[in-house]
Amino acid sequence: MRTMQTEVLVIGGGATGAGVGQDLALRGFQCVLVEKRDLTHGTTGRYHGLLHSGGRYVVKDPKAAEECIEENRILRRIMPHCLEDTGGFFVATPWDDPAFGDKFMAGCQATGVPCEEISIAQMLREEPLLNPQISRCFRVPDGSADSFLATQCVGESARLHGAHILTYHEVKHLLRQGDKVIGAVCHDLVHDEDVTIYADMTVNASGAWAGQIAGTIGVEVRVMAGKGTMVAINHRVLNTVVNRCKMPADGDIIVPIHTVAVIGTTDVRVPDPEHFAIEPWEVQHMLDEGEKLIPGLKNMRMLRAWAGVRPLYQETAVADTRDVTRAYTLLDHEKRDGVSGFITITGGKWTTYRQMAQVTVDRVCEKLNTQRECRTAEEVLPHLPGFEPHHQYHTLGARLARAEAEKGFGELICECELATKQDVERAIVQGQAKTIDDVRRDVRLGMGPCQGGFCTLRVAGMWHSLKQTPVETTNVTLRDFLQERWKGLMPVLWGSQLKQERLDELIYLSVLNVDHLPGEKASRLGPKMYEPGTEMTQPHG
Amino acid sequence: MSNILIIGAGLAGLVAGWQAAASSTRRVRILSKGWGATHWHSGCIDVLGYYPLSNEQPVEVPLERLRLLIANEPHHPYALTGLEKIAEALTALQTLCQAAAYPLHGSLEQNWLIPTAAGALRPTCLAPQTMSAGDGRSTAPMLIVGFADTVDFYPHLIAANLTQQGIPAQGLLLEMPALQARHFNYPMTLARLMEQSDFRAEMVQRLKKQLAASPALDKAERLGFPAVLGLDNAAAIHQELEEKLGRRVFEIPGLPPSVAGIRLHHILLKAIRQAGGEVYDGLEVVRAECADDRLMQVVTENAGRPRPHRADQFVLATGGILGGGIVTDYAGRGREVVFNLPITLPHSRLDWFKQDFLDPGGHPIYQSGIRVNHIFQPVNGENQPIYPNLYAAGTTLAHAEAIRERSFEGIALTTGYTVGQLVISNYLAQGGNRGQPH
Ligand SMILES: Cc1cc2nc3c(=O)[nH]c(=O)nc-3n(C[C@H](O)[C@H](O)[C@H](O)COP(=O)(O)OP(=O)(O)OC[C@H]3O[C@@H](n4cnc5c(N)ncnc54)[C@H](O)[C@@H]3O)c2cc1C
């Protein structure tokens, strides 16, 4: 068994864990981050894509709104290239109480979220597909965010400052010595071997899995998983984030991101973060609600569906010493459970990941008896190796402009998302991709309308030449990726997308016969499928 | 006014049109929204590649397994055509292609195992002459040749997989200045370049140089290329390459658009036109009109206005879900778009799919389609023909998993062939000889 030693061990490679890793590294701590799959494999890679202005929370949860607008401003400064400055609307549809608009305005004022009411005519000029029956519209500084890219960049910053990021390392259990956590035993999924990591301090940033991790040493952290399902529309039907102006509920936001627009979400408690379905009623519900914002949406082509899990922390004891804001939870297990060397950070939002990391590392400093200033609010994030640095917001045409400037359009591996041969090569080699799905997260390969129809074979071809591994591993990697795309297609396969998928079958089965290539049918690095849907379970109350 | 009007210009519609036009003097017309799966498929004619579907081993003798399939599955399109018609249709297509100087080789006695662009071996019944030297039942060493500055063909992946399956193979990427200079090098552009003799000469020269420089490569007894060796002169180009390179040469089918499929499409178009038939694309048929339970005309959506097309007999060959002849929606409903014919469909959307994309049994939704009687007339719940003058052919027919069976082209060809003949003979029997010949 391999062993490693570090000052701080961070568990979880989502936005929060990567943020903690970066903050630690910037403050000069030695740190190792372990993630059981690829970065953003958890909720961070399955969220809605909204850079909150705070507008959504001004009435329900003003504290959260304040945190959001504060972080919104910081993120616009440190990672503009991961954001689209779409702006946001809050709109009152005929199904919403127009009087809520006044409460909303007052809430924005109280929490400092910039807000302006605009005319319906102006709204329709900007977003002609919106329901003309909308009675009020407020403009706020929402945006959309690429959490794959952002987390990669945060991770890159952490690496540049000395952190070690170990992906495909799953924590099996924490190591406890008396009343102290001294590290964790991990399983390296790629090499199929165990690794023990000793650390002075262990930070549990595993989101909805936080209870499972703490449970390995008998510390009870009750985290319920709240599943949310989202559906991507094949077209970018809006250029502005659109929210319903009412108390937050299901299916009330549409976010334009890259080439698509995403409608979400539901909110359903599920027993654990690994086993849940995308239920047919959820998809139906998204379409029904979306229809209220954009008449005709139901008959548009849907691209894909996915679901992520919110960690819902529940107090277990009255005497729970919980460092709270309502938005996220920091548990100091020394104070709470008498177990030192261990803290848990969970809950929150993508938008507030940096602040969560900051308070966590502040606590680490306190525990390790040192005082070091947080610098993450000033540190502009690096670009990924090979990408031209630019300090502007990402815009829709940027990829095309780059492909044209580099004359790379003849070398497109994924035409839908404009990923070039160079991009893919970089993701495989420098990005040390372990699966084609890792390449997808890096360069958005296979995320467009054909969902891998053309690019999967091309990546497999490149993979084989670049990796120089036995060909069976390439074959299984290819099959895993086809299965990964299938996973999110099944819930929305009808109409044009069903036709498209049949073409993908024609290509991969009939023309290429990949189901009969040598090697295993699937690997342990392959996707975990959503559970099969059950007939029409009803939404919660 | 046509006597026979066929909707859909995929393999089934084209073959039906060709048969109908060739076997009578009636006026035959094909209307189509666009071209069909001929532009996507392998360019081979798969008749039956895996059967029963749970069997991982490819079918060696299609004839035997067809017998089994017909016995097991009385509603399968092959059970409706019958073995004889299957054999007849294959021979007819072979004769046609032979005359067009693009021979297709094979028979129901044995399947080929043709290498694919992933390096798998695909069982198929008829393969064009340009592909047959790749047959995986021989272990003669291969060199797989691709082109730098293209993105669809990866010789080393193919070679590694073939080697793994017992056929010694190497991969080579050739650099071609003509390709370097271009921005887009997709299959059709490559095929057009291949039609130019100076491009071929340069390719031969460069390849020979590589072969001469490497004893390992030089061992290859056959050379595999992407399936882009010319468009309408492929067989001649293929022969020229074999002569100049001094070894057998074969094409490997890969990502669409399929040059080899387009060749078949061109041959069929020509045959139809020579037999006096007409083919119009860009005409989407959106509905039909009838009188006294008989179909009178269909209507196409044109620029500016809908346009009626009258005919005596109609053939629907719109290709099911893939071809767009059957559309589905979020509520789990399905609809045949022209005649609103009843279709078979799993009861609930939850039953449409299996958990595994590559499930050997296939996804139930794709078996949905139109139910027909023994003479390919769409029927209602009581098994009665819905219209006396309507027939259906191709992969729009229910009760087959054409992609899992590897019967995709076989079903289109044999049902198109059968229906093309049936529609004429029934028409004449119904007194259609009164109609005006063109
Ligand atoms: C449906 C939905 C929509 C959302 N939309 C938005 C939005 O639009 N805007 C916004 O700001 N926020 C949004 N959020 C919230 C936001 O996505 C999350 O708060 C954020 O992504 C959480 O990040 P995290 O790093 O804490 O958790 P995660 O991203 O879940 O990271 C935890 C990581 O720990 C890993 N892990 C688990 N167990 C182990 C183990 N044993 N060993 C090693 N690693 C392990 C997991 O693989 C995972 O990658 C949304 C949340 C949901 C559920």
Side-chain angles (χ1 to χ4, degrees), chain B residues 41-334:
Chain B
H41 78 135
S42 63
C44 302
I45 304 294
D46 295 0
V47 171
L48 192 60
Y50 294 95
Y51 196 82
L53 292 183
S54 54
N55 194 343
E56 290 267 305
Q57 292 308 312
V59 169
E60 285 175 21
V61 183
L63 189 63
E64 278 172 12
R65 291 301 164 92
L66 276 172
R67 283 207 182 94
L68 180 67
L69 178 145
I70 289 171
N72 286 348
E73 301 181 34
H75 299 297
H76 194 285
Y78 281 151
L80 303 180
T81 53
L83 268 183
E84 254 169 61
K85 279 285 169 199
I86 297 175
E88 211 181 294
L90 291 169
T91 310
L93 184 68
Q94 283 179 290
T95 309
L96 177 71
C97 290
Q98 181 74 44
Y102 184 67
L104 298 181
H105 298 299
S107 77
L108 290 174
E109 297 298 332
Q110 47 176 307
N111 265 335
W112 299 96
L113 286 176
I114 298 291
T116 77
L121 294 169
R122 63 190 309 283
T124 190
C125 182
L126 299 187
Q129 178 149 323
T130 56
M131 292 186 191
S132 54
D135 188 15
R137 292 169 302 172
S138 145
T139 55
M142 295 177 172
L143 174 65
I144 310 298
V145 185
F147 300 102
D149 305 295
T150 67
V151 293
D152 285 342
F153 194 79
Y154 297 84
H156 296 94
L157 172 67
I158 301 169
N161 266 320
L162 291 171
T163 305
Q164 180 62 30
Q165 294 166 97
I167 303 164
Q170 306 263 352
L172 174 69
L173 267 186
L174 264 193
E175 304 213 345
M176 294 291 296
L179 296 179
Q180 251 160 20
R182 303 176 59 96
H183 289 318
F184 292 99
N185 292 316
Y186 288 118
M188 280 303 277
T189 44
L190 281 167
R192 290 200 184 98
L193 284 169
M194 276 303 169
E195 290 267 338
Q196 300 172 10
S197 56
D198 44 351
F199 183 85
R200 294 197 300 276
E202 166 111 47
M203 179 183 94
V204 167
Q205 188 221 328
R206 284 175 175 254
L207 183 51
K208 276 185 158 167
K209 214 163 136 192
Q210 296 271 353
L211 291 170
S214 157
L217 300 185
D218 202 40
K219 274 199 307 233
E221 290 171 23
R222 31 186 188 165
L223 306 172
F225 292 87
V228 296
L229 300 181
L231 193 53
D232 292 322
N233 300 297
I237 290 170
H238 174 253
Q239 195 185 345
E240 174 198 306
L241 292 176
E242 290 201 329
E243 281 161 13
K244 293 219 166 125
L245 290 163
R247 335 181 179 219
R248 302 220 52 196
V249 164
F250 61 97
E251 292 184 305
I252 301 175
L255 291 178
S258 163
V259 173
I262 293 171
R263 291 174 196 148
L264 291 177
H265 171 89
H266 286 178
I267 290 171
L268 282 164
L269 278 186
K270 211 162 146 191
I272 295 165
R273 288 182 177 139
Q274 271 171 3
E278 299 158 48
V279 185
Y280 299 95
D281 72 320
L283 288 180
E284 181 171 8
V285 180
V286 292
R287 69 191 145 87
E289 284 160 10
C290 54
D292 301 332
D293 296 338
R294 214 182 146 77
L295 285 171
M296 301 305 289
Q297 59 185 22
V298 293
V299 179
T300 55
E301 202 63 81
N302 294 65
R305 70 200 148 93
R307 201 171 123 197
H309 304 264
R310 291 179 70 84
D312 296 314
Q313 307 286 321
F314 297 82
V315 176
L316 183 72
T318 45
I321 288 172
L322 179 62
I326 291 175
V327 296
T328 54
D329 71 7
Y330 57 87
R333 291 172 296 218

Side-chain angles (χ1 to χ4, degrees), chain A residues 10-18 34-52 57 68 145 147 166 169-173 186 204-210 212-213 226-230 253 255 265-266 273-274 306-311 345-353 356:
Chain A
V10 182
I11 302 170
T16 312
V34 289
E35 161 57 51
K36 69 173 170 175
R37 291 285 179 119
D38 191 20
L39 291 183
T40 71
H41 165 261
T43 308
T44 302
R46 300 151 203 263
Y47 82 141
H48 200 165
L50 172 58
L51 169 69
H52 282 286
Y57 305 105
C68 283
S147 66
L166 305 177
H169 279 62
E170 177 165 13
V171 170
K172 285 167 66 179
H173 58 84
C186 304
N204 175 13
S206 58
W209 290 263
Q212 290 179 5
I213 299 286
K227 172 194 55 163
T229 292
M230 286 138 287
I253 311 181
V255 181
T265 78
T266 51
E274 295 284 348
W306 62 92
V309 280
R310 301 177 179 84
I345 175 79
T346 185
K349 314 193 185 332
W350 178 82
T351 308
T352 57
Y353 87 86
M356 291 163 68

Side-chain angles (χ1 to χ4, degrees), chain A residues 29 54 58 60 137 288 314 362:
Chain A
F29 289 102
V58 291
K60 191 182 174 191
C137 177
D288 289 339
Q314 296 192 317
D362 285 349

